[in-house]
Every structure is written in structure tokens, then in C-alpha cells.
Amino acid sequence: MKKTVAGIAALLLLWFVFGPAPVDPVAWVPPEDNGFVGPFAENTLLNKAEVFPIIDGEGPEDIALDRYGRIYGGLHDGRILRYSFDGAIQETFATIEGGRPLGLHFDAAGNLIVADAWKGLLSIDENGEITTLTTGHGGRPFAFADDLDIASDGKIYFSDASDTYNQPDYLLDLIEARPNGRLLVFDPATGQTDMLLDNLYFANGIALSQSEDFVLVNETGRYRITRYWLKGEKAGTSDIFIDNLPGFPDGVSANRNGTFWLALPSPRNPNMDEMHPSVFTKKLVTKLPTWMQPGAIRRGTIVALNEAGEVVASYHDPKGERVYMITSVEEVGGYLYLGSLEAPFAARVKLDDLR
């Protein structure tokens, strides 16, 4: 009997080591992590945030406000929750059946434009009626529509984080370290979708500059932000806006007055950085249960950048005691509104409290 058990254990070990993995990873050597130093230095200013608990649900990954000051956030179960400005009233604005609403932004007509991880780019009118705008480009369906921003001419710039992995498997995409993401633009006037950049490493947050001469797209899998030029001599080209961030860049937004707000939901995980150079190690790790794989570290961090890509301020809840896993920051009416992929709340903090 003991021999039989030992034989089975040996076979299971062989399968675990040499059997197929859920990813096809490549080796990558990350730049040295400098940590939270210099303009990223820690403080506790985000402990001043006002938190709006969700009665039933979690994960308002992005936050948007309508013309009446009401607050919107999309939840894991496909609902888009609406708060009154004081947070006292919570109601379901719309439900995307089988969806996972991520990026949110109101257009000039008052429609809520949604990047849904499963359904693509959607438009929801003031009555909660849902219209699908686009679900793919060039024969490649969107597997992970993520974030968006809207230009003054109505064009919608958005990201498809990965055409290989869906939202629940985002960690696999990060570990695999292949460029599966895209930056795209949808023109409501023509119904046409165009691709601006391909081969991005987990294309995430989107934000347009003040004069709309460039658009930013976060590459979460490379700890950097890429800039795509829309106007001027560099139009149609891209470059690195900021590199070697101390955390995973997620959402980015613009106040359209020269400041970008960047959400870092987690510091870089040293275990992930250490395994990136080894394909063999990454294959083994992805066979483990998700809870045993390197994941997010509980912390709250947001960063302010100018249009030259310079860090001008950072704000923290170092232990994630008040807010954590912040995936979006939106500046509206003297407040910063904070969304989170996993937390059971939305939050906001007064800009005056951060000065």
C-alpha cells in the first residue's frame, strides 16, 4: 500500500513539474525596484479619505460622476451602482448581464460609456438602456476591454488589456509577460474602430492630455506608461512617458488642466520580479492555486504627474487601513474619487486635505 501511495505521489509530482501550464511565458528581467523614495516617498494623507461602503457588492474599479454630482461604479456582478453625492442613497443604475464593468466615462450627451471586460465598449443612456458600440477589431474580439477616455470630438480612446486572457485571469497575463494588449479608438460618428498600438504589456488606464495632442496608456505588465501622439510632428508614433514605477500602474485620468492622476493598486511584488527571468519557474507557479501565486500587496497609493511625465506628488495609505487596491482616481469638483477592483467601497478625498 505504501508503495502504491508513493508511486501515485511520484506521478503527481512529475505531472506538476513537466505537465502543461496555463501560460506560455517568456523570460523578462525587470528593472531594479527603487521603491517608494523621492517623489514617491510615503505619507499617510490618504487616511483622510471618506469611504462609501457598498451595502451589497464589491469592486467599483472605476468611478464616474454625472452632471448632477451622482457617483457611479461598476461591480463584480455586472451591476453599475449609483450613489447620491453624500453617499446616503445607493441604487442600481444598470445591470450588464454576464458583464464586468471596468472603465467608466460620461460623454457630452450624458451617456455613460463603459469598458466592460466581457462585453466590449458599451453606451448606457440616462434610463439605463444599454447599447453595444464595438466588440472587436480586425477579426480579434476584445477579451478584456479595460479603460477609456473621451475626446472633445466624441472619439473614445480605450484599451483591450489582453486578447488572450479574460479579467479573472489577469494575473496569468502579467506572469506570462507577453504583449497581448492594444490601444484603440472608436468613432461614434462613423461606428468605426481603429487600432493605434498593438503589442502592449497589459494595456490598462487611458487618459488624454489637456490639448488632446497625445493619449496615455498604462502598461501594467512593464511598470510604465506609454504615450501615443495624436497631433503634431510625432503624430502616429509612441514613446515612454514614465518608466520603472514602484507599483503596478492601473487607472490613469486627466483633470484636463495639466495633471494626470495615476492609481498604483499594489507595490511591485518582489516574488514576481524574482521569477520573471525564469520561464520554468513561471510555469510552475501558474499551476499552483491562485492564493499561492504572487498577488497584490495591501496598500493605497495615488500619484500626480505633469504633462512632461514628472511626478509632482504622491499620496499614500501605507498599510491599506483606510483605502487599498486603488485602481482609479478621478478629479471632480475639488475631490479625488477613488475606485478599487476588489474593495467593498468607493472613496473620495478633498484635494485641500492633501496640501
Side-chain angles (χ1 to χ4, degrees):
M1 181 66 177
K2 290 182 179 179
K3 290 183 179 180
T4 301
V5 172
I8 292 172
L11 288 173
L12 288 173
L13 179 60
L14 287 171
W15 175 85
F16 177 73
V17 174
F18 299 106
V23 295
D24 180 23
V26 294
W28 174 55
V29 179
E32 182 179 355
D33 182 7
N34 297 318
F36 293 98
V37 298
F40 297 105
E42 289 186 352
N43 52 56
T44 59
L45 290 171
L46 287 186
N47 291 356
K48 300 178 180 181
E50 177 184 8
V51 172
F52 300 138
I54 297 172
I55 295 172
D56 176 25
E58 59 187 14
E61 199 265 356
D62 195 12
I63 301 295
L65 273 73
D66 67 14
R67 66 188 75 182
Y68 306 108
R70 295 176 296 189
I71 306 161
Y72 296 70
L75 307 183
H76 278 294
D77 60 10
R79 286 181 296 146
I80 296 178
L81 189 69
R82 180 166 63 192
Y83 291 91
S84 57
F85 179 78
D86 60 4
I89 301 173
Q90 294 182 31
E91 58 186 348
T92 297
F93 166 64
T95 299
I96 304 170
E97 298 293 342
R100 182 22 170 142
L102 297 173
L104 308 177
H105 203 96
F106 280 96
D107 68 13
N111 301 303
L112 181 61
I113 308 301
V114 180
D116 186 282
W118 295 100
K119 303 295 184 178
L121 197 65
L122 310 175
S123 176
I124 308 179
D125 69 17
E126 293 183 345
N127 298 315
E129 293 296 321
I130 302 171
T131 301
T132 299
L133 300 178
T134 179
T135 59
H137 172 269
R140 293 164 62 191
F142 307 138
F144 196 157
D146 198 320
D147 196 24
L148 71 134
D149 199 1
I150 304 176
S152 56
D153 63 3
K155 290 181 180 179
I156 303 167
Y157 294 85
F158 67 103
S159 57
D160 182 27
S162 173
D163 66 359
T164 305
Y165 297 96
N166 299 118
Q167 192 275 328
D169 297 321
Y170 71 89
L171 183 58
L172 295 181
D173 192 277
L174 295 174
I175 293 173
E176 185 176 87
R178 289 187 181 274
N180 298 320
R182 294 175 280 178
L183 168 65
L184 305 110
V185 59
F186 174 78
D187 187 349
T190 63
Q192 182 173 332
T193 303
D194 292 313
M195 183 172 65
L196 304 179
L197 286 176
D198 200 356
N199 300 316
L200 297 174
Y201 293 89
F202 201 95
N204 205 326
I206 301 290
L208 287 153
S209 65
Q210 183 177 5
S211 61
E212 300 184 355
D213 57 340
F214 64 84
V215 60
L216 300 182
V217 55
N218 287 349
E219 289 191 88
T220 305
R222 282 294 189 265
Y223 314 132
R224 70 188 183 195
I225 303 176
T226 289
R227 169 173 50 194
Y228 181 84
W229 291 94
L230 299 170
K231 300 175 183 177
E233 294 180 355
K234 298 180 181 179
T237 68
S238 65
D239 54 22
I240 302 302
F241 186 68
I242 187 171
D243 203 357
N244 198 20
L245 291 161
F248 293 89
D250 197 304
V252 64
S253 67
N255 68 0
R256 297 302 180 90
N257 194 31
T259 297
F260 292 108
W261 290 104
L262 174 66
L264 299 179
S266 169
R268 287 167 56 172
N269 188 311
N271 294 324
M272 182 176 286
D273 277 1
E274 288 174 6
M275 75 180 186
H276 264 309
S278 171
V279 169
F280 180 72
T281 300
K282 293 205 282 189
K283 286 184 176 181
L284 287 184
V285 167
T286 56
K287 296 176 189 178
L288 296 170
T290 302
W291 64 269
M292 296 181 68
Q293 298 174 18
I297 298 169
R298 189 181 177 103
R299 182 188 182 91
T301 305
I302 62 175
V303 177
L305 303 132
N306 62 25
E307 293 207 342
E310 299 165 333
V311 177
V312 296
S314 64
Y315 306 106
H316 306 259
D317 179 348
K319 296 182 180 179
E321 296 172 327
R322 187 69 173 169
V323 290
Y324 60 90
M325 204 176 190
I326 301 170
T327 49
S328 64
V329 192
E330 298 288 339
E331 180 183 340
V332 183
Y335 289 89
L336 295 180
Y337 289 83
L338 313 177
S340 173
L341 181 66
E342 300 295 343
F345 56 77
R348 70 182 173 200
V349 59
K350 288 183 178 179
L351 279 167
D352 286 344
D353 288 342
L354 300 177
R355 298 190 173 101

